[in-house]
Amino acid sequence: MSQKQLKEAFISNLNGTTLLEISLGLSLPPLCLLCRGLLLILYFLHYGKPLSSRKYNLLLDFVVLISPLLLSCTVLSPVMFLMPPVIAALCAAIFSKIYSQRKHDTGASFRQIVNDFQKTYLDPEYVPSITVFRVYINLLTSIGILAVDFPQYPRRYAKTETYGTGVMDLGVGAFIFGNALVCPEVRQKSCATQLKFSHLTRQFFSVWPLIFLGVGRLFTVKSIEYHEHISEYGVHWNFFFTLAVVRLAASLLLTLFPKNKSWIVAMNLAVFYQLILNVTSLKMFVLYGSNGKDTRVGFLNANREGLFSLFGYLAIYMASVQVGLYLLKSRNFVKDWIKAICVLILMVLVLFVFLHLSQVHVDPVSRRMANLSYCLWVVAHCLTFFIWFVVIDLVLLFTKLLVNGSRVPSSWNVIQPPRSSKKHDTEAMPIGRESKLLHVCLITAIDKNQLLFFLLANIMTGIVNIMIDTIHSKTPFTLCILHLYMFLNCLIMYILHAKNIVLKFW
């Protein structure tokens, strides 16, 4: 077999892992974020000033936020179940030290602290967990697209062939979900019909970078005979095309239907698509082609997975629009977000019940078809992931109440409620907004250039695969390559952010 055939076989015919392992793995990034935040607060507590060195901030962010993720999907994957408890125990120890020091200084009761915490005023226009969620989806995707080509990456985490739940299967849908959370339709206030159609026209022109990237990837892959998993999207289709088409189709649907009813549109899309898969021969066509022998003759046969999975991804996008509208509702106090978390947890439980029923009585999860079970699985796990980040953010906010003046980037900060007079309004400018300007953070750095980060990850992945025989790489070499790959990508984003450069072409 040629090197190309070996690499294609290495990522083919896989069945995924369990929902429990993926659910547990979702707790790892939020716990890493909590650990980083607590370390920064502890540093402030001891030295009376924040960690100001950009070099040390980058090093801390990379070691605490990135390295554990790389290790968890390579050498530590056999004991991945132990990683969240270990990091949680470390966080508990750091928090205990912070709390004991604060209690020694002030002697305030725990009940009083909790009461003050619930009444804490938050910037209603700033939801840092959305940013962190989207950045971590990008980070996990970037790690996975290169790590999957190395033998140290467990095959159960890779994309499944037909049915099953792999970590990378979730990543594809989560990327769609994360984009929809902050789409223009969620952020804009006006709903006038004329403005809607004007916005739709702008969307047609705004997706050209995705189409350009899709065409560029297609020609590059074909010209250098780069290995590809044909049953993932098809012969000519790729994820950039999927992103572009889903975004355009969603903009059209949100022009025709009220955006606050997008969950109804999402439900109808997913159910109707699953119905068509079951009662017609569409499922057999997507899996085996028109002749039942996996033919790739003709554009529709050649790209059937990419084309028909659009319906499932569109349903995920519309569901995320509804979630985004709910998350961006004005909430001024911590107690409001605690109520929102309870609602989100209830939604997750309902989705998992429907997921179980769908898998048992309808069809197992299939990313290849993006069927109903896949849509339910992606939305349920994305909500679970987001809930983790909100909870962690509230824990960090509570800790910052213990240490007056401490700050953690990409998180809520304690601010004063706005007053009636202009003078007080000026004084009550959110500290969180200030800190974003004064503090260079890896999360905010990646957030400023998310598409560029994803593009660089794809380019670097291609370069590594061309230059290195990844399949036969030894463990130390693999870890060095993966850490260097992620560090270079993060360093570029960090430098661009430090210089306030945002590369956006639309």
Side-chain angles (χ1 to χ4, degrees):
M1 295 176 70
S2 67
Q3 187 74 5
K4 179 176 182 290
Q5 291 172 324
L6 280 173
K7 289 191 174 184
E8 288 175 350
F10 192 58
I11 57 175
S12 301
N13 302 312
L14 303 173
N15 299 314
T17 184
T18 63
L19 293 179
L20 177 61
E21 184 172 15
I22 294 176
S23 298
L24 187 63
L26 290 179
S27 66
L28 190 58
L31 287 171
C32 291
L33 193 71
L34 175 62
C35 185
R36 191 278 302 258
L38 292 175
L39 287 172
L40 288 173
I41 296 173
L42 184 62
Y43 181 92
F44 180 88
L45 184 64
H46 278 280
Y47 295 98
K49 62 179 181 179
L51 181 62
S52 57
S53 170
R54 290 182 173 180
K55 177 175 63 177
Y56 290 126
N57 269 302
L58 174 60
L59 184 62
L60 175 67
D61 284 353
F62 188 82
V63 170
V64 180
L65 301 181
I66 309 295
S67 285
L69 306 183
L70 286 168
L71 296 174
S72 69
C73 66
T74 50
V75 292
L76 294 182
S77 59
V79 292
M80 204 282 294
F81 284 89
L82 296 177
M83 290 191 68
V86 169
I87 297 178
L90 176 61
C91 291
I94 299 172
F95 177 82
S96 177
K97 184 172 181 61
I98 294 171
Y99 180 75
S100 62
Q101 181 68 41
R102 190 265 180 190
K103 190 175 182 181
H104 178 265
D105 292 340
T106 64
S109 67
F110 184 79
R111 177 174 294 182
Q112 181 61 44
I113 297 172
V114 171
N115 290 335
D116 291 342
F117 172 66
Q118 292 180 359
K119 298 173 184 177
T120 301
Y121 186 85
L122 302 174
D123 181 1
E125 301 294 326
Y126 179 46
V127 186
S129 298
I130 295 178
T131 298
V132 175
F133 171 86
R134 297 181 68 245
V135 167
Y136 257 111
I137 292 299
N138 212 332
L139 281 169
L140 293 169
T141 303
S142 300
I143 291 172
I145 59 176
L146 178 59
V148 71
D149 295 317
F150 289 91
Q152 289 77 17
Y153 188 85
R155 295 301 89 192
R156 67 183 185 276
Y157 291 173
K159 290 178 181 175
T160 56
E161 188 67 26
T162 303
Y163 293 104
T165 51
V167 175
M168 294 185 70
D169 291 319
L170 177 62
V172 178
F175 211 95
I176 297 284
F177 188 94
N179 281 348
L181 277 180
V182 294
C183 69
E185 291 83 2
V186 171
R187 289 182 278 112
Q188 70 183 7
K189 305 297 183 182
S190 178
C191 297
T193 304
Q194 187 176 4
L195 290 178
K196 280 185 177 182
F197 282 102
S198 175
H199 166 73
L200 181 61
T201 304
R202 289 197 301 271
Q203 290 302 299
F204 273 100
F205 290 100
S206 68
V207 298
W208 73 264
L210 294 172
I211 296 174
F212 176 78
L213 291 173
V215 172
R217 188 184 191 283
L218 172 63
F219 279 105
T220 302
V221 167
K222 299 302 179 184
S223 61
I224 65 175
E225 294 190 348
Y226 189 78
H227 68 278
E228 53 184 331
H229 194 187
I230 296 297
S231 65
E232 187 176 340
Y233 295 106
V235 177
H236 312 104
W237 203 263
N238 59 57
F239 189 54
F240 290 111
F241 291 142
T242 295
L243 285 174
V245 174
V246 167
R247 183 170 170 180
L248 284 176
S251 294
L252 178 60
L253 287 175
L254 291 168
T255 301
L256 300 174
F257 301 99
K259 60 184 180 181
N260 61 348
K261 303 296 182 184
S262 57
W263 69 275
I264 298 177
V265 178
M267 184 178 64
N268 279 283
L269 267 173
V271 172
F272 182 72
Y273 174 52
Q274 183 64 56
L275 188 64
I276 297 299
L277 284 172
N278 283 3
V279 301
T280 69
S281 59
L282 181 60
K283 183 190 295 186
M284 298 300 295
F285 174 76
V286 173
L287 297 180
Y288 305 109
S290 58
N291 66 351
K293 298 180 180 179
D294 201 25
T295 178
R296 294 289 173 178
V297 178
F299 181 79
L300 193 59
N301 268 305
N303 303 286
R304 56 184 185 267
E305 294 92 349
L307 293 172
F308 287 101
S309 64
L310 288 172
F311 294 101
Y313 290 127
L314 183 56
I316 293 171
Y317 191 101
M318 296 299 291
S320 181
V321 167
Q322 187 72 58
V323 174
L325 292 172
Y326 177 73
L327 295 178
L328 291 180
K329 284 183 178 179
S330 180
R331 296 181 179 86
N332 297 325
F333 298 96
V334 166
K335 60 183 179 181
D336 298 329
W337 273 102
I338 294 175
K339 293 177 183 177
I341 290 173
C342 294
V343 172
L344 291 174
I345 291 174
L346 181 61
M347 290 170 60
V348 168
L349 293 175
V350 171
L351 286 169
F352 272 116
V353 169
F354 280 116
L355 173 61
H356 175 74
L357 294 174
S358 180
Q359 291 220 89
V360 171
H361 300 289
V362 182
D363 214 12
V365 172
S366 173
R367 174 204 45 80
R368 188 173 177 181
M369 292 182 286
N371 59 3
L372 175 62
S373 294
Y374 178 76
C375 295
L376 291 169
W377 175 55
V378 167
V379 175
H381 274 78
C382 283
L383 286 176
T384 303
F385 200 34
F386 180 80
I387 290 169
W388 267 110
F389 284 122
V390 177
V391 171
I392 293 304
D393 212 356
L394 291 177
V395 172
L396 287 175
L397 180 64
F398 180 83
T399 310
K400 281 183 282 190
L401 284 175
L402 305 178
V403 183
N404 187 34
S406 60
R407 297 181 184 179
V408 176
S410 300
S411 68
W412 275 312
N413 283 288
V414 181
I415 64 174
Q416 295 296 322
R419 308 295 183 182
S420 57
S421 68
K422 292 183 178 180
K423 179 180 178 181
H424 284 98
D425 283 342
T426 304
E427 292 175 354
M429 188 185 78
I431 296 173
R433 297 291 176 85
E434 279 186 42
S435 65
K436 288 197 292 182
L437 297 174
L438 298 175
H439 189 104
V440 179
C441 163
L442 187 57
I443 299 293
T444 54
I446 296 173
D447 179 56
K448 293 295 182 182
N449 288 287
Q450 288 224 41
L451 183 58
L452 178 63
F453 182 84
F454 185 59
L455 177 60
L456 280 176
N458 277 269
I459 293 173
M460 290 184 184
T461 296
I463 293 173
V464 170
N465 271 283
I466 291 171
M467 298 179 62
I468 297 173
D469 178 13
T470 56
I471 297 179
H472 301 100
S473 296
K474 302 298 183 182
T475 299
F477 182 74
T478 296
L479 293 178
C480 287
I481 290 296
L482 289 177
H483 276 84
L484 181 62
Y485 152 78
M486 286 303 297
F487 185 78
L488 286 176
N489 210 344
C490 291
L491 179 62
I492 293 172
M493 297 300 104
Y494 202 80
I495 293 172
L496 289 175
H497 182 53
K499 295 183 179 296
N500 199 27
I501 298 174
V502 179
L503 299 178
K504 195 170 184 178
F505 308 103
W506 64 97

